[in-house]
Amino acid sequence: MSPRRPPEPVQVVKRRRDAALTRLVEGVPYIQFLGIQFDRRGDELTAILPFKDELIGNPLLPALHGGATAAFLEVAAIVELTWSTLWHEMEQGAVPNDATPQRMPKTIDFTVDYLRSGLPRDAYARARVNRSGRRYASVHVEAWQDNRSRLFAQATGHFLMPVSDAKDG
């Protein structure tokens, strides 16, 4: 029996996970355009949409543009879905390849419920993967601003998963 390898130092694991998330997010120019950021705590992600005047759709209220809200929710869903797959691979011992861009799921449909006007301030979102198979996934996303229990939008999306690079026997 071979001796068991000692666990990696927590800082090394944290750096590897943070680097994988950074590569994932920086690989999508639209995320940079909107200014969306992600806060990682373990395997849980919170998407953050910092307020910018350009995100206002109705200056009379003022309220966030519905398209900006929908894009924020869809990005949160896709990144969560991709991150959950990547996380599983990292936990199985795979080391993400820096040179290979992460393949993202493709949106099949995405339905947004606008529950109230988005105010001119930062917004937050968390996505939950309801089902993820080899070909198809379903994700639910909730967005809030000041109070987590007072959602201003939520969405459900269905996604086509990227084809695996693994070759069959």
Side-chain angles (χ1 to χ4, degrees):
M1 220 164 107
S2 64
R4 188 172 168 182
R5 287 186 359 198
E8 291 180 290
V10 70
Q11 300 88 345
V12 172
V13 174
K14 183 180 181 334
R15 256 194 316 273
R16 184 172 54 244
R17 290 173 178 166
D18 288 344
L21 179 59
T22 298
R23 276 193 309 279
L24 171 62
V25 171
E26 288 179 352
V28 182
Y30 193 56
I31 294 174
Q32 298 350 289
F33 175 75
L34 288 174
I36 299 172
Q37 304 161 3
F38 288 86
D39 179 43
R40 184 183 72 80
R41 302 285 181 227
D43 67 340
E44 183 178 78
L45 296 179
T46 300
I48 304 161
L49 178 65
F51 174 73
K52 298 187 286 191
D53 284 333
E54 295 83 20
L55 299 176
I56 293 294
N58 184 343
L60 298 177
L61 292 178
L64 291 179
H65 190 283
T69 299
F72 175 52
L73 292 170
E74 187 172 9
V75 164
I78 290 171
V79 169
E80 174 63 36
L81 184 55
T82 306
W83 179 248
S84 66
T85 302
L86 202 55
W87 180 272
H88 178 73
E89 291 170 0
M90 286 189 294
E91 290 298 296
Q92 299 300 317
V95 177
N97 183 346
D98 292 348
T100 306
Q102 184 66 40
R103 294 199 314 210
M104 308 291 257
K106 306 284 188 240
T107 305
I108 296 171
D109 66 59
F110 199 76
T111 304
V112 179
D113 298 325
Y114 298 96
L115 306 173
R116 59 182 45 88
S117 294
L119 302 172
R121 56 184 60 126
D122 293 354
Y124 308 93
R126 281 206 188 123
R128 180 183 69 249
V129 177
N130 292 327
R131 179 196 186 283
S132 182
R134 288 183 326 175
R135 297 176 45 112
Y136 163 88
S138 174
V139 181
H140 181 76
V141 193
E142 297 179 337
W144 69 96
Q145 289 183 304
D146 296 326
N147 184 337
R148 174 79 172 90
S149 64
R150 233 174 105 73
L151 304 179
F152 77 95
Q154 63 183 4
T156 300
H158 301 104
F159 300 90
L160 182 64
M161 297 302 288
V163 178
S164 172
D165 286 333
K167 305 264 189 235
D168 290 329

